[in-house]
Amino acid sequence: MEPRLETPAPKATQLLWTGGWDSTFRLLQLLLVNKVPVVPHYLRDPTRKSTSIELATMERIVDLLHARHPHTRNLLLPLRSVSLSEIPSDHVISGALRSVRERVYIGSQYEWLSAYCKHNGIQRMELCVHVDDKVHIVLAPFTAKFQEPGSEVEIRADPRFATTAEFALFRYFSFPLFEVEKVEMGHIAEANGWNQVMEMTWFCHSPVNDKPCGVCGPCVYTIQEGLGRRIPMSRRVLSFFYRLVGLPFKSVARRLLRER
């Protein structure tokens, strides 16, 4: 009798999970479609008012997944939650962020996400940048598709641009949703019966009475990307006037600061 060849266990996917729409969509893909183990990572920002809501949201999603899809108990590994204060600063990454910001504004989170990966030896953290994302236009010229035998096609920073600030800042990530729009995720989720989970997700950084504020960055992006229904009507009205009057001045101020 010939010995039976064992199929090697799939390597766990490292996923930045915030309890938000994009990263939760990817989590569902990995657990329910690909059925591979996932290590979720969450970086706690003590200055962000939404941190406790995001953590509670993830707990509720995990409980629902375990109840409806028992196999996820084995695939979804414990959340690795780390405070920003625990992440060592890195002068190369800090310099890369400053360099990119001289040309276009991007959030400071990319600095500490990159530093976290570098410090922990993570080379392919899945970061759910999507087509509508503001950083997509920054990254697009510096990415390429890669595929290893038996693996999915990956979009990552292209080593041909190894001397650029963009590569230094984003080299530790893989971008699984880079060619997907937020609304398209909703259509795919509906087709797969994931609506309940997706509607549990959270996005606002500055909640008011535990509801989305309508004027923080993620709220504005949520409206612009076609999911404004997730924000209460009163806050959507406020957001309309903020985007009409306040946001243009904010953009001008950022540009002036970059030019100083």
Side-chain angles (χ1 to χ4, degrees):
M1 180 177 179
E2 293 185 6
R4 193 176 77 181
L5 297 177
E6 296 290 341
T7 302
K11 186 177 180 180
T13 298
Q14 311 294 319
L15 173 68
L16 177 71
W17 187 33
T18 64
W21 181 272
D22 313 319
S23 58
T24 298
F25 174 80
R26 180 56 179 167
L27 181 74
L28 295 177
Q29 281 188 324
L30 292 167
L31 294 177
L32 304 183
V33 179
N34 299 356
K35 295 186 178 179
V36 295
V38 179
V39 178
H41 298 256
Y42 178 82
L43 307 189
R44 302 190 310 275
D45 182 353
T47 67
R48 185 185 295 175
K49 291 172 61 178
S50 62
T51 296
S52 61
I53 297 179
E54 290 174 357
L55 288 167
T57 295
M58 289 187 279
E59 286 185 12
R60 289 195 297 272
I61 290 174
V62 169
D63 289 343
L64 181 61
L65 285 174
H66 286 174
R68 289 193 171 182
H69 307 279
H71 75 276
T72 62
R73 294 178 180 272
N74 295 323
L75 292 180
L76 184 54
L77 302 176
L79 179 70
R80 296 186 181 178
S81 177
V82 176
S83 172
L84 298 190
S85 62
E86 300 175 54
I87 304 173
S89 60
D90 184 281
H91 73 278
V92 173
I93 293 172
S94 299
L97 178 68
R98 287 194 300 270
S99 179
V100 172
R101 278 182 162 180
E102 289 175 359
R103 299 183 292 279
V104 60
Y105 180 82
I106 62 173
S108 59
Q109 70 267 29
Y110 298 109
E111 177 181 355
W112 36 265
L113 288 172
S114 186
Y116 171 77
C117 291
K118 183 176 181 179
H119 179 68
N120 289 280
I122 300 171
Q123 294 297 323
R124 295 182 187 174
M125 175 77 82
E126 290 205 349
L127 184 61
C128 294
V129 174
H130 58 284
V131 170
D132 318 276
D133 209 317
K134 303 306 177 185
V135 79
H136 185 279
I137 195 170
V138 177
L139 270 172
F142 299 92
T143 59
K145 294 182 179 180
F146 301 87
Q147 186 172 25
E148 296 178 359
S151 300
E152 290 183 323
V153 173
E154 286 186 281
I155 297 179
R156 303 196 303 270
D158 191 338
R160 291 182 301 165
F161 302 103
T163 60
T164 66
E166 285 79 5
F167 184 85
L169 193 57
F170 293 101
R171 64 179 297 177
Y172 302 101
F173 305 110
S174 173
F175 307 104
L177 303 180
F178 205 69
E179 297 179 334
V180 184
E181 296 179 348
K182 190 180 286 284
V183 172
E184 183 182 354
M185 295 180 216
H187 296 326
I188 296 171
E190 184 175 8
N192 283 282
W194 301 342
N195 278 2
Q196 184 176 357
V197 175
M198 295 300 291
E199 292 301 318
M200 293 169 66
T201 59
W202 184 261
F203 52 90
C204 177
H205 283 179
S206 304
V208 177
N209 297 324
D210 292 339
K211 295 186 182 297
C213 70
V215 297
C216 70
C219 280
V220 171
Y221 301 150
T222 294
I223 293 171
Q224 292 174 339
E225 293 163 359
L227 294 178
R229 60 177 174 75
R230 305 198 68 210
I231 297 172
M233 178 59 73
S234 61
R235 307 306 296 188
R236 267 184 276 167
V237 172
L238 176 64
S239 180
F240 171 79
F241 288 104
Y242 169 72
R243 286 178 285 126
L244 185 67
V245 180
L247 197 56
F249 285 102
K250 187 175 181 180
S251 299
V252 169
R254 282 176 176 165
R255 187 173 66 250
L256 291 174
L257 286 172
R258 288 200 304 269
E259 293 173 354
R260 288 184 63 183

